[in-house]
Amino acid sequence: MPVAFALRYVPAWQNQTALFIVSALAIIPIAGWMGNATEQLAHRMGEGIGGLLNASFGNAAELIIALMALHAGKIEVVKASITGSIIGNLLLVLGVSIFAGGVRFKQQKFNQTAARASCTALILAAAALVIPTVFHTAAAQHPGGWTPAAEQSLSLAIAVVLILTYGAILVFSLVTHKQLFVGGEADVSEEENCERPWPVSKAVGILLGATMAVAWVSEFLVGAVEAAQHSLGVTETFVGVIIVAIVGNAAEHSTAITMALKNKMDLALGIAVGSSLQIALFVAPVLVFSSYAFPHRLNLEFTVPEIVAVVVAAFVTDQIAGDGESNWLEGVQLLALYVILGVLFYFLPGTR
């Protein structure tokens, strides 16, 4: 962080590419603070709410970065960051977590009913994100059938449905069927015997302070995107799908791996899948609503490669998580798919 501030405010040291790289690195430990503080809250509030809190504050970094990019008019980066966050959580975060836990434990089990419910909601969310692209393709075949205004109205309507669906999922997981999202108690008690959780005031204070720090550094990151993509020779889509998403997922990544290594796969799965659900059902609609306060409006029409990546990631995650158990090979399979998609977005033509 000190280096990022120096590169931003000291005239003699200003270098946009270096500022982009250092700002991305600076967000990672801040997001780690969020993950650590949320883990402490999870000890007191249970795994269901703990996973929700971790996903919320982990996605706060991604939401702040996306809002900064939206304010700067970088619509493609915003859309790519939404796609990248979904596939990053499902394939990278969950893949590394399953692999790390599988290396330490031959087989890990988790709540099959909760996992299936979350993955089904994720597939529905992925289907909703496909609709605007389908509308554009179908309506464009008729003269005057497609207009930017019609697509914006469709995206706004879908955003309302998505955020209402997210509210229903919260009621289901935290109120009416919260017993389905309770993990094993043996693992929790073993950890509590080793270390006393932080006071709630300390954990909340660190979460708020880290959120403000992420907002400040994110402004540096977004401001240097254009210079960095030209000097590094990558497209805006690759920056959003891979680089920004990995930086924003740092909190989920570190905490999910830690939970998997402690054989708490319910919490690890809840963090990874829950974060993707929040991106699709909450963050994306919030960004659509927020765009009305900026000169550039955001719609939910994504490119075909982005749509395919989200749908495939959701389907593969559903297949792996549906049986209620995991091993290290399944983690490798998720990571292999993530690398394949990363190569696709690297070679995909675009503005470099």
Side-chain angles (χ1 to χ4, degrees):
M1 283 185 66
V3 177
F5 276 82
L7 290 171
R8 174 65 177 83
Y9 294 112
V10 178
W13 292 2
Q14 288 185 356
N15 183 306
Q16 292 297 301
T17 303
L19 178 61
F20 177 82
I21 295 173
V22 172
S23 298
L25 294 175
I27 290 175
I28 294 175
I30 305 174
W33 297 347
M34 291 180 172
N36 195 11
T38 309
E39 181 184 347
Q40 298 299 321
L41 287 176
H43 288 305
R44 296 184 177 276
M45 299 183 181
E47 292 192 356
I49 297 180
L52 173 65
L53 287 173
N54 200 296
S56 300
F57 281 96
N59 286 335
E62 295 155 289
L63 178 59
I64 292 169
I65 294 173
L67 286 172
M68 295 295 179
L70 194 61
H71 180 263
K74 299 186 180 299
I75 300 298
E76 294 306 316
V77 173
V78 176
K79 289 184 177 182
S81 69
I82 294 173
T83 305
S85 296
I86 294 173
I87 66 175
N89 280 304
L90 294 180
L91 303 181
L92 180 61
V93 176
L94 185 59
V96 174
S97 300
I98 291 178
F99 175 76
V103 169
R104 187 170 182 182
F105 303 95
K106 186 174 182 180
Q107 188 178 60
Q108 294 183 290
K109 296 184 180 295
F110 47 86
N111 190 319
Q112 182 179 2
T113 304
R116 180 66 75 182
S118 297
C119 289
T120 300
L122 190 62
I123 292 175
L124 292 175
L129 296 180
V130 173
I131 299 303
T133 304
V134 173
F135 168 76
H136 190 162
T137 303
Q141 297 177 1
H142 304 277
W146 178 89
T147 63
E151 184 169 62
Q152 189 65 44
S153 298
L154 175 64
S155 296
L156 184 61
I158 291 175
V160 172
V161 174
L162 289 178
I163 207 162
L164 291 175
T165 303
Y166 182 64
I169 290 175
L170 291 183
V171 173
F172 179 82
S173 60
L174 299 179
V175 181
T176 63
H177 291 72
K178 61 182 179 180
Q179 71 278 1
L180 298 179
F181 296 84
V182 177
E185 307 216 353
D187 297 326
V188 177
S189 61
E190 179 183 350
E191 171 113 2
E192 288 175 347
N193 290 334
C194 299
E195 182 181 354
R196 175 174 298 223
W198 293 352
V200 173
S201 58
K202 177 181 177 180
V204 171
I206 290 177
L207 284 173
L208 294 178
T211 301
M212 290 186 288
V214 165
W216 203 339
V217 179
S218 295
E219 186 180 0
F220 303 164
L221 181 74
V222 171
V225 163
E226 188 171 350
Q229 74 178 68
H230 288 298
S231 60
L232 298 176
V234 295
T235 63
E236 277 193 344
T237 302
F238 182 84
V239 170
V241 172
I242 303 299
I243 300 177
V244 173
I246 289 177
V247 170
N249 286 337
E252 295 97 315
H253 209 154
S254 61
T255 310
I257 294 173
T258 301
M259 294 300 101
L261 289 173
K262 295 174 181 177
N263 205 22
K264 292 183 174 183
M265 283 306 297
D266 285 293
L267 185 52
L269 194 72
I271 292 170
V273 178
S275 292
S276 293
L277 272 176
Q278 282 196 329
I279 291 293
L281 300 179
F282 179 74
V283 173
V286 166
L287 290 173
V288 172
F289 301 147
S290 300
S291 69
Y292 282 82
F294 301 117
H296 303 276
R297 299 285 173 82
L298 176 70
N299 58 54
L300 294 177
E301 182 190 352
F302 296 88
T303 64
V304 173
E306 290 174 314
I307 290 299
V308 171
V310 171
V311 171
V312 169
F315 176 75
V316 172
T317 302
D318 179 67
Q319 293 299 304
I320 287 180
D323 60 356
E325 57 186 36
S326 63
N327 53 66
W328 67 265
L329 180 59
E330 292 177 333
V332 171
Q333 292 169 338
L334 291 174
L335 291 173
L337 180 56
Y338 184 76
V339 172
I340 291 171
L341 293 176
V343 172
L344 164 67
F345 288 111
Y346 179 79
F347 286 104
L348 199 66
T351 303
R352 293 183 184 268

Coordinates of all heavy atoms in Angstrom, one line a residue, residues 247-336:
V247 N -7.8 -10.7 -8.2 CA -7.6 -9.7 -7.1 C -8.8 -9.6 -6.2 O -8.7 -9.6 -5.0 CB -7.2 -8.3 -7.7 CG1 -7.2 -7.3 -6.6 CG2 -5.9 -8.4 -8.4
G248 N -10.0 -9.5 -6.8 CA -11.2 -9.3 -6.0 C -11.5 -10.6 -5.2 O -12.2 -10.5 -4.2
N249 N -11.1 -11.8 -5.7 CA -11.4 -13.0 -5.0 C -10.4 -13.4 -3.9 O -10.5 -14.5 -3.4 CB -11.4 -14.2 -6.1 CG -12.7 -14.1 -6.9 OD1 -13.7 -13.6 -6.5 ND2 -12.6 -14.7 -8.1
A250 N -9.5 -12.5 -3.7 CA -8.4 -12.9 -2.7 C -8.9 -13.3 -1.4 O -8.4 -14.3 -0.8 CB -7.4 -11.7 -2.6
A251 N -9.9 -12.6 -0.9 CA -10.5 -12.9 0.5 C -11.1 -14.3 0.5 O -10.9 -15.1 1.4 CB -11.5 -11.9 0.9
E252 N -11.9 -14.6 -0.6 CA -12.6 -15.9 -0.6 C -11.6 -17.0 -0.8 O -11.7 -18.1 -0.2 CB -13.6 -15.9 -1.8 CG -14.8 -15.0 -1.6 CD -14.5 -13.7 -2.4 OE1 -13.4 -13.2 -2.3 OE2 -15.5 -13.2 -3.0
H253 N -10.5 -16.7 -1.6 CA -9.5 -17.7 -1.9 C -8.8 -18.2 -0.7 O -8.7 -19.3 -0.4 CB -8.5 -17.1 -2.9 CG -7.9 -18.2 -3.8 ND1 -7.4 -17.9 -5.1 CD2 -7.7 -19.5 -3.6 CE1 -7.0 -19.0 -5.6 NE2 -7.1 -20.0 -4.8
S254 N -8.3 -17.2 0.1 CA -7.5 -17.5 1.3 C -8.3 -18.2 2.3 O -7.9 -19.3 2.9 CB -6.8 -16.3 1.8 OG -7.8 -15.4 2.2
T255 N -9.5 -17.7 2.6 CA -10.4 -18.3 3.6 C -10.9 -19.7 3.2 O -11.0 -20.6 4.0 CB -11.5 -17.4 4.0 OG1 -11.0 -16.1 4.2 CG2 -12.3 -17.8 5.2
A256 N -11.3 -19.8 2.0 CA -11.9 -21.1 1.5 C -10.8 -22.2 1.6 O -11.1 -23.4 2.0 CB -12.4 -21.0 0.1
I257 N -9.6 -21.9 1.2 CA -8.5 -22.9 1.3 C -8.2 -23.3 2.8 O -8.1 -24.4 3.1 CB -7.2 -22.3 0.7 CG1 -7.4 -22.2 -0.8 CG2 -6.0 -23.3 0.9 CD1 -6.2 -21.5 -1.5
T258 N -8.2 -22.2 3.6 CA -8.0 -22.5 5.1 C -9.1 -23.4 5.6 O -8.8 -24.4 6.4 CB -8.0 -21.2 5.8 OG1 -7.0 -20.3 5.3 CG2 -7.7 -21.4 7.3
M259 N -10.3 -23.2 5.3 CA -11.4 -24.0 5.7 C -11.3 -25.4 5.2 O -11.6 -26.4 5.9 CB -12.8 -23.4 5.3 CG -13.1 -22.1 6.0 SD -13.2 -22.2 7.8 CE -11.5 -21.5 8.2
A260 N -10.9 -25.6 3.9 CA -10.8 -26.9 3.3 C -9.7 -27.7 4.0 O -9.8 -28.9 4.3 CB -10.5 -26.8 1.9
L261 N -8.6 -27.0 4.4 CA -7.5 -27.7 5.1 C -7.8 -28.1 6.5 O -7.2 -29.0 7.0 CB -6.2 -26.7 5.1 CG -5.5 -26.5 3.8 CD1 -4.5 -25.4 3.9 CD2 -4.9 -27.8 3.3
K262 N -8.9 -27.5 7.0 CA -9.4 -27.8 8.4 C -10.5 -28.8 8.3 O -11.2 -29.1 9.3 CB -9.8 -26.6 9.1 CG -8.7 -25.6 9.4 CD -9.2 -24.3 10.1 CE -8.1 -23.4 10.4 NZ -8.6 -22.1 10.9
N263 N -10.8 -29.3 7.0 CA -11.8 -30.3 6.8 C -13.2 -29.7 7.0 O -14.2 -30.4 7.4 CB -11.7 -31.6 7.6 CG -12.3 -32.8 7.0 OD1 -12.6 -32.8 5.8 ND2 -12.7 -33.8 7.8
K264 N -13.4 -28.4 6.8 CA -14.6 -27.7 6.9 C -15.1 -27.4 5.5 O -15.2 -26.3 5.1 CB -14.5 -26.4 7.7 CG -14.2 -26.6 9.2 CD -14.2 -25.2 9.8 CE -14.0 -25.3 11.3 NZ -14.0 -24.0 11.9
M265 N -15.5 -28.4 4.8 CA -15.9 -28.3 3.4 C -17.2 -27.6 3.2 O -17.5 -27.0 2.2 CB -15.9 -29.6 2.7 CG -14.5 -30.1 2.3 SD -13.5 -29.0 1.3 CE -14.5 -28.8 -0.1
D266 N -18.1 -27.7 4.2 CA -19.4 -26.9 4.1 C -19.1 -25.4 4.0 O -19.7 -24.7 3.2 CB -20.2 -27.2 5.3 CG -20.9 -28.6 5.3 OD1 -21.7 -28.8 4.4 OD2 -20.5 -29.5 6.1
L267 N -18.2 -24.9 4.9 CA -17.9 -23.5 4.9 C -17.1 -23.1 3.6 O -17.4 -22.1 3.0 CB -17.1 -23.1 6.1 CG -16.8 -21.6 6.3 CD1 -18.1 -20.8 6.2 CD2 -16.1 -21.4 7.6
A268 N -16.2 -24.0 3.2 CA -15.4 -23.7 2.0 C -16.3 -23.7 0.7 O -16.2 -22.7 -0.1 CB -14.3 -24.8 1.8
L269 N -17.2 -24.6 0.6 CA -18.1 -24.6 -0.5 C -19.1 -23.5 -0.4 O -19.4 -22.8 -1.4 CB -18.9 -26.0 -0.5 CG -19.7 -26.3 -1.8 CD1 -18.7 -26.7 -2.9 CD2 -20.7 -27.4 -1.5
G270 N -19.6 -23.1 0.8 CA -20.5 -22.0 1.0 C -19.8 -20.7 0.5 O -20.5 -19.8 0.0
I271 N -18.5 -20.5 0.8 CA -17.8 -19.3 0.4 C -17.7 -19.2 -1.1 O -18.0 -18.2 -1.7 CB -16.4 -19.3 1.1 CG1 -16.5 -19.1 2.6 CG2 -15.6 -18.2 0.5 CD1 -15.2 -19.3 3.3
A272 N -17.2 -20.3 -1.7 CA -17.0 -20.3 -3.2 C -18.3 -20.1 -4.0 O -18.5 -19.2 -4.8 CB -16.2 -21.5 -3.6
V273 N -19.3 -21.0 -3.7 CA -20.5 -21.0 -4.5 C -21.4 -19.8 -4.0 O -22.0 -19.2 -4.9 CB -21.3 -22.3 -4.3 CG1 -22.6 -22.3 -5.0 CG2 -20.5 -23.5 -4.8
G274 N -21.4 -19.5 -2.7 CA -22.1 -18.3 -2.3 C -21.6 -17.0 -2.9 O -22.4 -16.2 -3.2
S275 N -20.3 -16.9 -3.0 CA -19.8 -15.7 -3.7 C -20.2 -15.6 -5.1 O -20.6 -14.5 -5.6 CB -18.2 -15.7 -3.6 OG -17.8 -15.6 -2.3
S276 N -20.2 -16.7 -5.8 CA -20.7 -16.6 -7.2 C -22.2 -16.3 -7.3 O -22.6 -15.5 -8.2 CB -20.4 -18.0 -7.9 OG -19.1 -18.2 -8.0
L277 N -23.0 -16.8 -6.4 CA -24.4 -16.5 -6.3 C -24.6 -15.0 -6.1 O -25.5 -14.4 -6.7 CB -25.1 -17.3 -5.2 CG -25.6 -18.7 -5.6 CD1 -26.2 -19.4 -4.4 CD2 -26.7 -18.6 -6.7
Q278 N -23.8 -14.5 -5.1 CA -24.0 -13.1 -4.8 C -23.6 -12.2 -6.0 O -24.2 -11.1 -6.2 CB -23.1 -12.7 -3.6 CG -23.8 -13.1 -2.3 CD -23.2 -12.4 -1.1 OE1 -22.0 -12.1 -1.1 NE2 -24.0 -12.2 -0.1
I279 N -22.5 -12.6 -6.7 CA -22.1 -11.8 -7.9 C -23.3 -11.8 -8.9 O -23.6 -10.7 -9.5 CB -20.9 -12.4 -8.5 CG1 -19.7 -12.2 -7.6 CG2 -20.6 -11.8 -9.9 CD1 -19.3 -10.8 -7.5
A280 N -23.8 -13.0 -9.2 CA -24.9 -13.1 -10.3 C -26.2 -12.5 -9.8 O -26.9 -11.8 -10.6 CB -25.1 -14.5 -10.6
L281 N -26.6 -12.7 -8.5 CA -27.9 -12.3 -8.1 C -28.0 -11.0 -7.4 O -29.1 -10.4 -7.2 CB -28.5 -13.4 -7.2 CG -28.7 -14.8 -7.8 CD1 -29.2 -15.7 -6.7 CD2 -29.6 -14.8 -9.0
F282 N -26.8 -10.5 -6.9 CA -26.8 -9.2 -6.1 C -25.9 -8.2 -6.7 O -26.4 -7.1 -7.0 CB -26.4 -9.5 -4.7 CG -26.4 -8.3 -3.8 CD1 -27.5 -7.7 -3.4 CD2 -25.2 -7.7 -3.4 CE1 -27.5 -6.5 -2.6 CE2 -25.1 -6.6 -2.6 CZ -26.3 -6.0 -2.2
V283 N -24.7 -8.5 -6.9 CA -23.7 -7.5 -7.4 C -24.1 -7.0 -8.8 O -24.1 -5.8 -9.1 CB -22.3 -8.1 -7.4 CG1 -21.3 -7.1 -8.0 CG2 -21.8 -8.3 -5.9
A284 N -24.4 -8.0 -9.7 CA -24.7 -7.6 -11.1 C -26.0 -6.7 -11.1 O -25.9 -5.6 -11.8 CB -24.9 -8.8 -12.0
P285 N -27.1 -7.0 -10.4 CA -28.2 -6.1 -10.4 C -27.9 -4.7 -9.8 O -28.3 -3.7 -10.3 CB -29.3 -6.8 -9.6 CG -28.9 -8.3 -9.7 CD -27.4 -8.3 -9.8
V286 N -27.1 -4.7 -8.7 CA -26.7 -3.5 -8.1 C -25.9 -2.6 -9.0 O -26.1 -1.4 -9.1 CB -25.9 -3.7 -6.8 CG1 -25.2 -2.5 -6.3 CG2 -26.8 -4.3 -5.7
L287 N -25.1 -3.2 -9.8 CA -24.3 -2.4 -10.8 C -25.2 -1.9 -11.9 O -25.0 -0.7 -12.4 CB -23.2 -3.3 -11.4 CG -22.0 -3.7 -10.5 CD1 -21.1 -4.7 -11.2 CD2 -21.3 -2.4 -10.1
V288 N -26.2 -2.6 -12.3 CA -27.2 -2.1 -13.3 C -27.9 -0.9 -12.7 O -28.1 0.1 -13.4 CB -28.2 -3.2 -13.7 CG1 -29.3 -2.7 -14.6 CG2 -27.4 -4.4 -14.5
F289 N -28.4 -1.1 -11.5 CA -29.1 0.1 -10.9 C -28.2 1.3 -10.7 O -28.6 2.4 -11.0 CB -29.7 -0.4 -9.5 CG -30.6 -1.5 -9.5 CD1 -30.7 -2.4 -8.5 CD2 -31.5 -1.7 -10.6 CE1 -31.6 -3.5 -8.5 CE2 -32.3 -2.8 -10.7 CZ -32.4 -3.7 -9.6
S290 N -26.9 1.0 -10.2 CA -26.0 2.1 -10.0 C -25.6 2.8 -11.3 O -25.3 4.0 -11.2 CB -24.7 1.5 -9.3 OG -25.0 0.9 -8.1
S291 N -25.6 2.1 -12.4 CA -25.2 2.8 -13.6 C -26.1 3.9 -14.0 O -25.7 4.8 -14.8 CB -25.2 1.7 -14.8 OG -26.5 1.3 -15.1
Y292 N -27.3 4.0 -13.5 CA -28.2 5.1 -13.8 C -27.7 6.4 -13.2 O -28.2 7.5 -13.5 CB -29.6 4.8 -13.4 CG -30.4 3.8 -14.3 CD1 -30.2 2.5 -14.3 CD2 -31.2 4.3 -15.3 CE1 -30.8 1.6 -15.1 CE2 -31.9 3.4 -16.2 CZ -31.6 2.1 -16.1 OH -32.3 1.2 -17.0
A293 N -26.8 6.3 -12.2 CA -26.2 7.5 -11.7 C -25.0 8.0 -12.4 O -24.4 9.0 -12.1 CB -25.9 7.2 -10.2
F294 N -24.6 7.2 -13.4 CA -23.4 7.6 -14.2 C -23.8 7.8 -15.7 O -24.8 7.5 -16.1 CB -22.4 6.4 -14.1 CG -21.9 6.0 -12.7 CD1 -22.2 4.8 -12.2 CD2 -21.2 7.0 -12.0 CE1 -21.8 4.5 -10.9 CE2 -20.8 6.7 -10.7 CZ -21.1 5.4 -10.2
P295 N -22.8 8.5 -16.4 CA -23.2 8.7 -17.8 C -23.4 7.5 -18.7 O -24.1 7.5 -19.6 CB -21.9 9.5 -18.3 CG -21.3 10.1 -17.1 CD -21.6 9.1 -16.0
H296 N -22.7 6.4 -18.3 CA -22.8 5.2 -19.2 C -23.7 4.2 -18.4 O -23.4 3.8 -17.3 CB -21.4 4.6 -19.4 CG -20.5 5.6 -20.1 ND1 -20.4 5.8 -21.4 CD2 -19.5 6.4 -19.6 CE1 -19.5 6.7 -21.7 NE2 -19.0 7.1 -20.6
R297 N -24.7 3.7 -19.1 CA -25.6 2.7 -18.6 C -25.0 1.3 -18.8 O -24.4 1.0 -19.8 CB -27.0 2.7 -19.2 CG -27.7 4.1 -19.0 CD -28.2 4.3 -17.6 NE -28.7 5.6 -17.4 CZ -29.9 6.0 -17.8 NH1 -30.7 5.2 -18.4 NH2 -30.3 7.2 -17.5
L298 N -25.2 0.4 -17.8 CA -24.8 -1.0 -17.9 C -26.0 -1.9 -18.2 O -27.0 -1.8 -17.5 CB -24.1 -1.4 -16.5 CG -23.7 -2.9 -16.4 CD1 -22.5 -3.1 -17.3 CD2 -23.3 -3.2 -15.0
N299 N -25.8 -2.8 -19.2 CA -26.8 -3.8 -19.4 C -26.2 -5.2 -19.1 O -25.0 -5.3 -18.8 CB -27.4 -3.7 -20.9 CG -26.3 -3.9 -21.9 OD1 -25.5 -4.8 -21.9 ND2 -26.2 -2.9 -22.8
L300 N -27.0 -6.2 -19.2 CA -26.6 -7.5 -18.9 C -26.3 -8.4 -20.1 O -26.4 -9.6 -20.0 CB -27.6 -8.2 -18.0 CG -27.8 -7.6 -16.6 CD1 -28.9 -8.3 -15.8 CD2 -26.5 -7.6 -15.8
E301 N -26.1 -7.8 -21.2 CA -25.7 -8.5 -22.4 C -24.2 -8.8 -22.4 O -23.4 -7.9 -22.4 CB -26.1 -7.8 -23.7 CG -25.7 -8.6 -25.0 CD -25.8 -7.8 -26.2 OE1 -26.3 -6.7 -26.2 OE2 -25.4 -8.3 -27.3
F302 N -23.8 -10.1 -22.4 CA -22.4 -10.5 -22.4 C -22.1 -11.1 -23.7 O -22.9 -11.5 -24.5 CB -22.2 -11.5 -21.2 CG -22.4 -10.9 -19.9 CD1 -23.7 -11.0 -19.3 CD2 -21.4 -10.4 -19.2 CE1 -23.9 -10.4 -18.0 CE2 -21.6 -9.8 -17.9 CZ -22.8 -9.9 -17.3
T303 N -20.8 -11.2 -24.0 CA -20.3 -11.9 -25.2 C -20.6 -13.4 -25.1 O -20.7 -13.9 -24.0 CB -18.8 -11.6 -25.4 OG1 -18.1 -12.2 -24.4 CG2 -18.6 -10.1 -25.5
V304 N -20.6 -14.0 -26.3 CA -20.8 -15.5 -26.3 C -19.8 -16.2 -25.5 O -20.1 -17.1 -24.7 CB -20.9 -16.0 -27.8 CG1 -20.9 -17.5 -27.8 CG2 -22.1 -15.4 -28.5
P305 N -18.4 -15.9 -25.6 CA -17.4 -16.6 -24.8 C -17.7 -16.5 -23.3 O -17.5 -17.4 -22.5 CB -16.1 -16.0 -25.2 CG -16.3 -15.5 -26.6 CD -17.8 -15.0 -26.6
E306 N -18.1 -15.3 -22.9 CA -18.4 -15.1 -21.4 C -19.6 -15.9 -21.0 O -19.5 -16.5 -19.9 CB -18.7 -13.6 -21.2 CG -17.4 -12.7 -21.3 CD -17.8 -11.2 -21.2 OE1 -18.7 -10.8 -21.8 OE2 -17.0 -10.5 -20.4
I307 N -20.6 -15.9 -21.8 CA -21.8 -16.7 -21.5 C -21.5 -18.2 -21.4 O -21.9 -18.9 -20.4 CB -22.9 -16.5 -22.5 CG1 -23.5 -15.1 -22.4 CG2 -24.0 -17.5 -22.4 CD1 -24.1 -14.8 -21.1
V308 N -20.7 -18.7 -22.4 CA -20.4 -20.1 -22.4 C -19.5 -20.4 -21.1 O -19.7 -21.5 -20.5 CB -19.6 -20.5 -23.7 CG1 -19.0 -21.9 -23.6 CG2 -20.5 -20.4 -24.9
A309 N -18.6 -19.6 -20.8 CA -17.7 -19.8 -19.6 C -18.6 -19.9 -18.3 O -18.3 -20.8 -17.5 CB -16.7 -18.7 -19.5
V310 N -19.5 -19.0 -18.1 CA -20.4 -19.0 -16.9 C -21.2 -20.3 -16.9 O -21.3 -21.0 -15.8 CB -21.3 -17.8 -16.9 CG1 -22.3 -17.9 -15.7 CG2 -20.4 -16.5 -16.6
V311 N -21.9 -20.6 -18.0 CA -22.8 -21.8 -18.0 C -22.0 -23.1 -17.8 O -22.4 -24.0 -17.0 CB -23.5 -21.9 -19.4 CG1 -24.3 -23.2 -19.5 CG2 -24.5 -20.7 -19.5
V312 N -20.8 -23.2 -18.4 CA -20.0 -24.4 -18.3 C -19.5 -24.5 -16.8 O -19.5 -25.6 -16.2 CB -18.8 -24.4 -19.3 CG1 -17.8 -25.5 -18.9 CG2 -19.4 -24.6 -20.7
A313 N -19.0 -23.4 -16.3 CA -18.5 -23.4 -14.9 C -19.6 -23.9 -13.9 O -19.4 -24.7 -13.0 CB -18.0 -22.1 -14.5
A314 N -20.8 -23.3 -14.1 CA -22.0 -23.7 -13.2 C -22.3 -25.1 -13.3 O -22.6 -25.8 -12.3 CB -23.2 -22.8 -13.5
F315 N -22.4 -25.6 -14.6 CA -22.7 -27.0 -14.8 C -21.7 -28.0 -14.2 O -22.1 -29.0 -13.5 CB -22.9 -27.3 -16.3 CG -23.2 -28.7 -16.7 CD1 -24.4 -29.3 -16.5 CD2 -22.2 -29.6 -17.1 CE1 -24.7 -30.6 -16.8 CE2 -22.4 -30.9 -17.4 CZ -23.7 -31.4 -17.3
V316 N -20.4 -27.7 -14.4 CA -19.4 -28.6 -13.9 C -19.4 -28.6 -12.4 O -19.2 -29.6 -11.7 CB -18.0 -28.2 -14.5 CG1 -16.9 -29.0 -13.8 CG2 -17.9 -28.4 -15.9
T317 N -19.5 -27.4 -11.8 CA -19.6 -27.3 -10.3 C -20.8 -28.1 -9.8 O -20.6 -28.8 -8.7 CB -19.7 -25.8 -9.9 OG1 -18.6 -25.1 -10.4 CG2 -19.7 -25.7 -8.4
D318 N -21.9 -28.0 -10.4 CA -23.1 -28.8 -10.0 C -22.8 -30.3 -10.0 O -23.2 -31.0 -9.1 CB -24.3 -28.5 -10.9 CG -25.5 -29.2 -10.5 OD1 -26.0 -29.0 -9.4 OD2 -25.9 -30.1 -11.3
Q319 N -22.1 -30.8 -11.1 CA -21.8 -32.2 -11.2 C -20.8 -32.6 -10.0 O -21.0 -33.7 -9.5 CB -21.1 -32.5 -12.5 CG -22.1 -32.3 -13.7 CD -23.3 -33.2 -13.6 OE1 -23.1 -34.4 -13.5 NE2 -24.5 -32.6 -13.7
I320 N -19.9 -31.8 -9.7 CA -18.9 -32.2 -8.7 C -19.4 -32.1 -7.3 O -19.1 -32.9 -6.4 CB -17.6 -31.3 -8.9 CG1 -16.8 -31.7 -10.1 CG2 -16.7 -31.3 -7.6 CD1 -15.6 -30.9 -10.4
A321 N -20.3 -31.0 -7.1 CA -20.8 -30.8 -5.7 C -22.0 -31.6 -5.4 O -22.5 -31.7 -4.3 CB -21.0 -29.4 -5.5
G322 N -22.6 -32.3 -6.4 CA -23.9 -32.9 -6.2 C -23.9 -34.2 -5.4 O -24.9 -34.6 -4.9
D323 N -22.7 -34.8 -5.3 CA -22.7 -36.1 -4.6 C -22.3 -36.0 -3.1 O -22.3 -37.0 -2.4 CB -21.7 -37.1 -5.2 CG -20.3 -36.5 -5.3 OD1 -20.1 -35.4 -4.8 OD2 -19.4 -37.3 -5.7
G324 N -22.1 -34.7 -2.6 CA -21.8 -34.5 -1.2 C -20.4 -34.9 -0.7 O -20.2 -35.0 0.5
E325 N -19.5 -35.2 -1.7 CA -18.1 -35.5 -1.3 C -17.2 -35.1 -2.3 O -17.5 -34.9 -3.5 CB -18.0 -37.0 -1.0 CG -18.4 -37.9 -2.2 CD -18.4 -39.4 -1.8 OE1 -18.7 -39.7 -0.7 OE2 -18.0 -40.2 -2.7
S326 N -15.9 -34.9 -2.0 CA -14.9 -34.4 -2.9 C -13.6 -35.1 -2.7 O -13.3 -35.6 -1.6 CB -14.8 -32.9 -2.8 OG -14.3 -32.5 -1.5
N327 N -12.7 -35.0 -3.7 CA -11.3 -35.5 -3.6 C -10.4 -34.6 -4.4 O -10.9 -33.8 -5.2 CB -11.2 -37.0 -4.0 CG -11.8 -37.2 -5.4 OD1 -11.3 -36.7 -6.4 ND2 -12.9 -37.9 -5.5
W328 N -9.1 -34.8 -4.3 CA -8.2 -33.9 -4.9 C -8.3 -33.9 -6.5 O -8.0 -32.8 -7.1 CB -6.7 -34.2 -4.5 CG -6.2 -35.5 -5.0 CD1 -6.2 -36.7 -4.3 CD2 -5.6 -35.8 -6.3 NE1 -5.6 -37.7 -5.1 CE2 -5.2 -37.1 -6.3 CE3 -5.3 -35.0 -7.4 CZ2 -4.6 -37.7 -7.4 CZ3 -4.6 -35.5 -8.5 CH2 -4.3 -36.9 -8.5
L329 N -8.7 -35.0 -7.1 CA -8.8 -35.0 -8.5 C -9.9 -34.1 -9.0 O -9.7 -33.4 -10.1 CB -9.1 -36.4 -9.0 CG -9.2 -36.6 -10.5 CD1 -7.9 -36.2 -11.2 CD2 -9.5 -38.1 -10.8
E330 N -11.0 -34.0 -8.3 CA -12.0 -33.0 -8.7 C -11.5 -31.6 -8.7 O -11.9 -30.8 -9.5 CB -13.2 -33.2 -7.8 CG -13.9 -34.6 -8.0 CD -15.1 -34.8 -7.1 OE1 -15.1 -34.2 -6.0 OE2 -16.0 -35.6 -7.4
G331 N -10.7 -31.3 -7.7 CA -10.1 -30.0 -7.7 C -9.2 -29.7 -8.9 O -9.2 -28.6 -9.5
V332 N -8.4 -30.7 -9.3 CA -7.6 -30.6 -10.5 C -8.5 -30.4 -11.7 O -8.1 -29.5 -12.6 CB -6.7 -31.8 -10.7 CG1 -6.0 -31.8 -12.0 CG2 -5.7 -31.9 -9.6
Q333 N -9.6 -31.0 -11.8 CA -10.5 -30.9 -13.0 C -11.1 -29.5 -13.0 O -11.1 -28.9 -14.1 CB -11.6 -31.9 -12.9 CG -11.1 -33.4 -13.1 CD -12.2 -34.4 -12.7 OE1 -13.1 -34.1 -12.0 NE2 -12.0 -35.6 -13.2
L334 N -11.4 -28.9 -11.9 CA -11.9 -27.5 -11.9 C -10.8 -26.5 -12.3 O -11.1 -25.6 -13.1 CB -12.4 -27.2 -10.5 CG -13.7 -27.8 -10.0 CD1 -14.0 -27.5 -8.6 CD2 -14.9 -27.4 -10.9
L335 N -9.6 -26.7 -11.8 CA -8.5 -25.9 -12.2 C -8.1 -26.0 -13.6 O -7.8 -25.0 -14.3 CB -7.3 -26.2 -11.3 CG -7.4 -25.8 -9.8 CD1 -6.2 -26.4 -9.0 CD2 -7.5 -24.3 -9.6
A336 N -8.2 -27.2 -14.2 CA -7.9 -27.4 -15.6 C -8.9 -26.6 -16.5 O -8.5 -26.0 -17.5 CB -8.0 -28.9 -15.9

